[in-house]
Amino acid sequence: MSVSTVASDQSVCAPLPVLGRDVTVPLVTGGEVTYAALDYAASAPALQRVWDDVAAYAPYYGSVHRGAGYLSQLSTDLFENSRATVAAFLDCREDDQVVFTRSTTDSLNLLAAALPAGCEVFVFETEHHASLLPWKDARVTYLNAPRTPAEAVETLERALAGRAAASGAGGPALVCVTGASNVTGELWPVRELAAAAHAHGARIVVDAAQLAPHHPVSVRELDVDWIAFSGHKLYAPFGSGVLAGRADWLQDAEPYLAGGGASRKVARRADGGVDVAWHTTAARHEAGSPNVIGVYSIASACKALTEAGFDTLVRRERQLIATVREGLAEVPEVKVLSLFGDDAPRVGVISFVVEGWNSSHFAAALSAEYGIGVRDGLFCAHPLVRTLLGGDQQQVGECGAPEGEPGEKSLNAIRVSFGAGTPDEHVERFVRAVKELVRDGAQWKYRTEDGRCVPDRG
Ligand code: PMP
């Protein structure tokens, strides 16, 4: 497997405490149940430890990089130490930069804005829109969906070799690839893709939005140039994200945002204009007052996952994955979406369709009748989901769309996702709910309201 190995000790840990673990929600059929948050791929609940760390720091909150006061200095230290914690969590190289952003989307847009002139970009059509779309100023080659990890590497090799043949290569190029799919949960062969990119003089950025929360990552071992992830998927939902990696393109680029913090020196010129000397450190792309709470919460989550033992978390998650996949396999009407097949290594993100069911209707029934929160739709990866559904790329499924007949193709899918805070009971309830809904049908009537499928209480 290409994304750093997991140690052989077989112990499995308990779920990590998260906020909301005791929250109960009403059922449309009567009574209340503990909410089963099974939409970690969208946003994971905050780790209790992260919340506690933030609460302990909050009274000491002060302006970062700005003030002479004690709390400002304490906050500045906390902010800068968080950078070091994240660098250690990602096993970055000595001279890599860790830039704090708002999210993965923001990180990839920042990198897109920092591409050197004439840079070509290679991206698989299977990517999340955050990886697919930011490269608007570059020449982009969209690569077809591979059906095996080896085919992914071959496809990239071929595209990069074609580039060399066409232009004599030499110019800058960037490959953007996901570490783990937000649709199938499957791991991509990042190390092999990085080797292929480098062999052809290209660089590579990994969208680790779904990888970093589920799996140890080593920038050094994977030999990738940049990596991006979001705090809110890593149990730190306070509005910060990360772009980490090579300093050179970032140092040479115009600041992502122009303003205070990014500028080292600003002076009026004799001709009335202004001269600006920009920072060459990560601060160059962090203009404005930084989100110290968001950044500190990411560092706290990195520490919590590391201290809990990422290897045992991975083992536990694999058991949850097995429970869900084996349970779904017992229901012939369920089709799990996959690019790389059953044996592919994966994280706790599983998408599926149910024959005879509109996916929005199914997700609404899981919520209203079982207290289970999943997501339905195309998951901001429209080309991939449509390819996996075998559908027309132009069609968009909606709740209430005429897709519920047996044998008909679904226009959208259902996604269940989980992680370090998920108790066994949540995935067991989910499997039971799927079986009951398929066998007995929904207990309630549903209708479409403002584009959402909701229980009909009228
Ligand atoms: N990439 C992947 C693989 C994702 O799953 C997501 C979020 N669903 C993103 C990027 C974008 O993350 P954010 O919304 O935090 O920017």
Side-chain angles (χ1 to χ4, degrees):
M1 198 183 69
S2 61
V3 180
S4 90
T5 44
V6 169
S8 58
D9 166 25
Q10 290 309 302
S11 59
V12 170
C13 57
L16 300 187
V18 288
L19 292 193
R21 59 192 180 277
D22 298 325
V23 166
T24 57
V25 291
L27 298 181
V28 72
T29 44
E32 293 208 331
V33 284
T34 315
Y35 184 63
L38 293 180
D39 194 13
Y40 275 46
S43 285
L47 282 176
Q48 183 69 53
R49 151 83 183 270
V50 169
W51 184 255
D52 292 345
D53 280 353
V54 166
Y57 161 64
Y60 302 94
Y61 175 77
S63 60
V64 171
H65 296 153
R66 301 268 191 293
Y70 189 88
L71 297 193
S72 287
Q73 299 204 351
L74 186 146
S75 294
T76 303
D77 287 348
L78 197 84
F79 186 78
E80 291 304 330
N81 290 342
S82 298
R83 226 187 273 286
T85 303
V86 170
F89 179 72
L90 297 173
D91 191 22
C92 287
R93 294 156 294 238
E94 237 10 53
D95 42 9
D96 280 342
Q97 280 186 352
V98 172
V99 182
F100 287 116
T101 64
R102 289 176 297 181
S103 61
T104 308
T105 304
D106 200 31
S107 297
L108 293 172
N109 274 272
L110 158 56
L111 187 61
L115 298 181
C119 189
E120 285 182 74
V121 173
F122 295 82
V123 53
F124 286 92
E125 65 176 7
T126 46
E127 291 293 317
H128 187 280
H129 297 171
S131 308
L132 201 63
L133 303 180
W135 319 106
K136 40 195 184 297
D137 295 332
R139 225 166 352 124
V140 187
T141 302
Y142 295 102
L143 306 173
N144 290 341
R147 297 313 294 225
T148 63
E151 198 185 316
V153 180
E154 283 157 26
T155 303
L156 180 65
E157 292 266 10
R158 217 173 310 118
L160 293 172
R163 161 181 178 259
S167 62
L174 178 73
V175 176
C176 178
V177 70
T178 186
S181 166
N182 72 309
V183 176
T184 66
E186 291 160 346
L187 299 184
W188 278 62
V190 172
R191 191 183 308 156
E192 292 81 353
L193 291 167
H198 292 153
H200 289 88
R203 298 233 175 146
I204 186 166
V205 56
V206 177
D207 170 353
Q210 301 295 347
L211 182 64
H214 297 274
H215 211 287
V217 172
S218 166
V219 166
R220 214 183 288 257
E221 237 184 76
L222 294 172
D223 195 20
V224 295
D225 298 285
W226 292 278
I227 193 155
F229 72 87
S230 303
H232 70 104
K233 296 182 200 288
L234 192 101
Y235 315 102
F238 294 91
S240 284
V242 168
L243 176 69
R246 306 270 180 215
D248 51 359
W249 286 10
L250 299 176
Q251 280 172 351
D252 292 344
E254 285 294 305
Y256 185 43
L257 294 173
S263 46
R264 202 162 36 82
K265 207 166 88 186
V266 181
R268 285 299 299 274
R269 277 197 310 259
D271 67 4
V274 285
D275 277 330
V276 187
W278 301 105
H279 281 294
T280 53
T281 58
R284 183 181 190 85
H285 298 295
E286 293 175 346
S289 302
N291 177 0
V292 58
I293 298 255
V295 161
Y296 178 53
S297 70
I298 289 182
S300 163
C302 292
K303 280 188 190 152
L305 294 175
T306 306
E307 285 165 19
F310 227 140
D311 291 354
T312 44
L313 293 173
V314 170
R315 268 193 296 280
R316 176 150 204 294
E317 189 170 313
R318 284 188 188 150
Q319 291 183 348
L320 299 176
I321 294 170
T323 302
V324 173
R325 284 178 58 83
E326 285 161 20
L328 293 179
E330 289 168 12
V331 186
E333 291 84 353
V334 168
K335 180 185 171 232
V336 172
L337 305 186
S338 166
L339 259 188
F340 297 158
D342 285 346
D343 297 334
R346 46 179 32 90
V347 299
V349 179
I350 297 165
S351 298
F352 61 99
V353 288
V354 187
E355 189 182 303
W357 281 82
N358 174 307
S359 292
S360 306
H361 181 191
F362 200 87
L366 284 172
S367 168
E369 299 179 28
Y370 294 91
I372 295 170
V374 296
R375 185 165 166 199
D376 61 280
L378 298 169
F379 318 128
C380 294
H382 293 187
L384 171 59
V385 178
R386 293 203 189 107
T387 297
L388 293 174
L389 293 176
D392 178 339
Q393 288 286 332
Q394 303 309 320
Q395 283 178 316
V396 179
E398 285 178 37
C399 177
E403 59 152 328
E405 296 303 316
E408 275 192 7
K409 282 184 179 134
S410 292
L411 298 179
N412 56 19
I414 305 152
R415 182 180 72 189
V416 58
S417 55
F418 41 86
T422 306
D424 293 0
E425 190 275 325
H426 287 187
V427 295
E428 287 160 6
R429 192 192 325 167
F430 167 77
V431 170
R432 176 170 58 82
V434 171
K435 289 182 176 173
E436 286 179 3
L437 285 171
V438 171
R439 191 188 61 214
D440 306 331
Q443 303 302 300
W444 206 262
K445 279 201 174 348
Y446 293 81
R447 65 188 167 83
T448 306
E449 193 179 280
D450 296 332
R452 285 181 53 223
C453 203
V454 293
D456 187 350
R457 294 165 202 272

